[in-house]
């Protein structure tokens, strides 16, 4: 039986356990939820790019976080990858930026790529981005993908400096990974509540406000720099509606390019969209899209 087909069976067992033992249920499901699986492999066509990076580590909490830099890092562009991913997800964009004279800078999040686990939190990502800023200076732009979007936006709210921001297939609601996981397992309301409480206790000192405070839309209207959003209306990983919510909160600072048929990561490999991203990084403001402002 495939892993996908097993999920409802696992969920049924979890739902049964949640009735007599919600705290145990929360602890067990939190461990399941926080397991990103084995690191994404490096495609053979990207191995030379990977090996050409200036690779280093920075100590954050319990982790030696692997960092990467290419090109002229006096003109740094920060890249933030998503869940179950790694820095090299941006390989086509990295090549474009280097050719244009920029210095892409990135890191493999805890539990991802070359950085060992366990997984970290948005607070750990904030510390990492601050250290990268200390090393490289103000970023010409930040480009974030998927779950990297709320991580990057939170860092900007907390003082990380960048001239422009590109959000690709971005998560708007911080609890989305929790919701998607619960939906996949068909968890009952009681089991969902147990998981949510366990995550709050384990990672955030039992603070129930984190779901709002760490969402992309929270206070994003206070960030006074231009934003470019790209999202595909067939994205089955992060629904298109997430970027629409973010765009609404951005007001006049936001522009959006909507694609069709590229899925969750396809825009990172399509020439015209790479052109749009790099033009935006260079300071060209795109005309208002039908879904933009």
């Amino acid at each position: 039986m495939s892993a996908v087909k097993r999920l409802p069976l696992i969920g049924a067992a979890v739902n049964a356990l949640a009735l007599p033992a919600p705290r145990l249920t929360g602890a067990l499901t939190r461990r399941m939820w926080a397991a990103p699986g084995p690191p994404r492999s490096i495609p053979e066509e990207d191995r030379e790019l990977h090996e050409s990076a200036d690779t280093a580590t920075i100590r954050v909490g319990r982790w030696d976080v692997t960092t990467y830099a290419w090109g002229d890092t006096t003109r740094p562009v920060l890249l933030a990858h998503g869940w179950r991913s790694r820095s090299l997800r941006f390989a086509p964009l990295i090549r474009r930026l280097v050719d244009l004279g920029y210095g892409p800078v990135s890191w493999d999040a805890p539990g991802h790529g070359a950085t060992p686990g366990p997984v970290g939190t948005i607070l750990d990502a904030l510390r990492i981005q601050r250290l990268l800023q200390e090393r490289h200076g103000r970023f010409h732009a930040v480009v974030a993908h998927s779950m990297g979007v709320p991580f990057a936006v939170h860092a900007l709210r907390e003082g990380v400096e960048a001239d422009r921001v590109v959000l690709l297939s971005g998560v708007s609601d911080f609890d989305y990974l929790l919701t998607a996981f619960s939906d996949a397992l068909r968890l009952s309301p009681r089991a969902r509540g147990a998981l949510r409480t366990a995550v709050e206790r384990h990672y955030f000192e039992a603070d129930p406000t984190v779901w709002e405070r760490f969402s992309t839309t929270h206070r994003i209207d206070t960030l006074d720099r231009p934003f470019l959003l790209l999202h595909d209306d067939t994205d089955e990983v992060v629904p298109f509606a997430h970027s629409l919510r973010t765009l609404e909160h951005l007001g006049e600072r936001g522009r959006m390019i909507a694609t069709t048929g590229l899925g969750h990561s396809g825009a990172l490999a399509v020439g015209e969209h790479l052109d749009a991203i790099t033009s935006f990084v260079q300071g060209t403001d795109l005309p208002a899209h039908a879904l933009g402002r």
Side-chain angles (χ1 to χ4, degrees):
M1 183 181 297
S2 70
V4 172
K5 290 182 178 179
R6 285 198 300 269
L7 290 178
L9 297 178
I10 295 171
V14 169
N15 291 338
L17 180 63
L19 292 172
R23 186 147 188 163
L24 176 59
T25 299
L28 291 174
T29 51
R30 181 196 61 76
R31 292 190 183 96
M32 294 167 58
W33 171 75
R40 182 181 292 272
S41 61
I42 298 170
E44 194 57 40
E45 63 268 24
D46 295 331
R47 187 163 296 282
E48 183 177 353
L49 179 68
H50 178 73
E51 293 173 353
S52 71
D54 180 4
T55 304
T57 60
I58 52 178
R59 186 70 182 179
V60 174
R62 68 179 73 182
W63 300 280
D64 289 316
V65 177
T66 302
T67 67
Y68 306 92
W70 294 264
D72 182 3
T73 54
T74 64
R75 305 179 73 202
V77 175
L78 181 66
L79 309 177
H81 72 75
W83 183 249
R84 294 182 177 173
S85 191
R86 64 187 305 154
S87 296
L88 216 61
R89 166 65 85 181
F90 293 101
L93 179 60
I94 291 168
R95 295 186 179 96
R96 288 288 191 98
L97 290 170
V98 170
D99 288 344
L100 291 168
Y102 290 95
V105 172
S106 191
W107 78 99
D108 286 343
H112 295 71
T115 301
V119 299
T121 73
I122 193 169
L123 300 176
D124 300 308
L126 171 60
R127 295 171 66 191
I128 293 166
Q129 289 171 91
R130 282 174 166 164
L131 289 170
L132 289 172
Q133 181 119 95
E134 288 178 13
R135 180 185 292 173
H136 298 288
R138 182 184 179 96
F139 299 114
H140 282 258
V142 172
V143 182
H145 179 241
S146 193
M147 199 64 191
V149 165
F151 284 28
V153 170
H154 179 63
L156 292 167
R157 283 193 298 254
E158 293 298 314
V160 169
E161 297 180 334
D163 296 330
R164 291 173 167 257
V165 186
V166 181
L167 308 180
L168 303 165
S169 306
V171 170
S172 171
D173 307 328
F174 185 61
D175 68 352
Y176 175 66
L177 273 184
L178 216 64
T179 301
F181 174 83
S182 299
D183 288 347
L185 266 65
R186 301 178 188 173
L187 295 184
S188 66
R190 187 176 180 87
R192 288 170 187 256
L195 170 60
R196 191 179 184 95
T197 299
V199 171
E200 292 168 2
R201 286 173 176 161
H202 188 81
Y203 298 111
F204 303 114
E205 299 180 341
D207 180 359
T209 71
V210 294
W211 310 107
E212 177 184 355
R213 289 194 297 110
F214 296 151
S215 288
T216 301
T217 52
H218 180 65
R219 293 179 51 237
I220 197 172
D221 59 322
T222 65
L223 299 177
D224 60 351
R225 63 219 69 186
F227 281 74
L228 173 64
L229 284 66
L230 288 89
H231 210 131
D232 194 87
D233 61 12
T234 65
D235 192 333
E236 295 183 351
V237 178
V238 178
F240 184 63
H242 279 252
S243 283
L244 293 181
R245 283 195 289 278
T246 300
L247 182 68
E248 181 180 359
H249 282 73
L250 281 169
E252 294 298 323
R253 289 176 304 286
R255 296 289 183 268
M256 182 165 174
I257 296 174
T259 64
T260 298
L262 297 179
H264 187 54
S265 305
L268 284 168
V270 174
E272 65 178 296
H273 300 310
L274 291 172
D275 290 343
I277 294 167
T278 52
S279 293
F280 187 78
V281 168
Q282 292 176 91
T284 301
D285 283 323
L286 277 65
H289 186 272
L291 291 173
R293 303 286 183 180

